[in-house]
């Protein structure tokens, strides 16, 4: 199964795996799953790091390199992903999460999240 990690799950997987739920660890450690990260997540991390957010202190270039070196695949943001955002119901205001969801829907992959707001969307969203 192809899994797109939301930004918080991605940060935990890369730097604080002990904070991952048991369900998340099981999915991430399953060799049958393909793990993907979005360029949108790195964009979010870079912006929030620049703003001085304590929970976004990781250096995005190092994170990207580490993810690629550990077998994660990068999902670029396309114009199709961007325009698919307008079809989403207004359940969640976070623009990065909405873009991640539009990517998952467009690509037919499952997004995994710990965010209860994002998990309210119908479709390929799995709360872990």
């Amino acid at each position: 199964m192809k899994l797109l990690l939301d930004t918080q799950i991605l940060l935990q997987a890369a730097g604080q795996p002990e904070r991952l739920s048991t369900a998340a660890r099981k999915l991430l450690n399953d060799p049958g799953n393909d793990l993907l990260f979005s360029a949108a997540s790195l964009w979010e991390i870079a912006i929030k790091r620049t703003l001085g957010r304590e929970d976004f202190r990781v250096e995005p270039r190092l994170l990207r390199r580490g993810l690629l070196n550990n077998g994660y695949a990068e999902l670029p943001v396309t114009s199709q992903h961007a325009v698919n955002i307008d079809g989403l119901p207004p359940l969640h205001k976070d623009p990065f999460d909405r873009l991640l969801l539009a990517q998952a829907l467009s690509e037919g992959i499952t997004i995994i999240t710990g965010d209860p707001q994002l998990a309210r969307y119908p479709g390929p969203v799995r709360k872990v």
Side-chain angles (χ1 to χ4, degrees), residues 102-123:
Q103 286 184 290
L105 289 165
S106 299
E107 302 298 328
I109 56 181
T110 300
I111 184 170
I112 60 171
T113 184
D115 182 343
Q117 286 294 99
L118 184 56
R120 291 176 50 207
Y121 282 97

Side-chain angles (χ1 to χ4, degrees), residues 24-80:
R25 265 190 245 115
K26 184 176 179 183
L27 287 170
L28 297 179
N29 291 326
D30 183 338
N33 290 334
D34 294 323
L35 305 178
L36 292 92
F37 68 95
S38 172
S41 289
L42 294 181
W43 180 27
E44 178 180 14
I45 291 164
I47 289 171
K48 291 180 178 177
R49 181 175 189 261
T50 302
L51 295 173
R53 288 266 308 259
E54 288 296 315
D55 51 340
F56 288 87
R57 297 192 69 158
V58 65
E59 208 293 318
R61 286 171 190 80
L62 294 176
L63 176 60
R64 180 180 181 272
R65 177 56 35 217
L67 291 166
L68 293 171
N69 288 345
N70 283 287
Y72 286 71
E74 183 174 355
L75 181 61
V77 175
T78 68
S79 58
Q80 185 63 52

Side-chain angles (χ1 to χ4, degrees), residues 40 43-44 48 85 88 92-102:
W43 180 27
E44 178 180 14
K48 291 180 178 177
I85 291 172
L88 298 176
H92 196 1
K93 303 238 184 268
D94 184 306
F96 295 105
D97 284 345
R98 290 175 59 83
L99 180 53
L100 292 174
L101 180 60

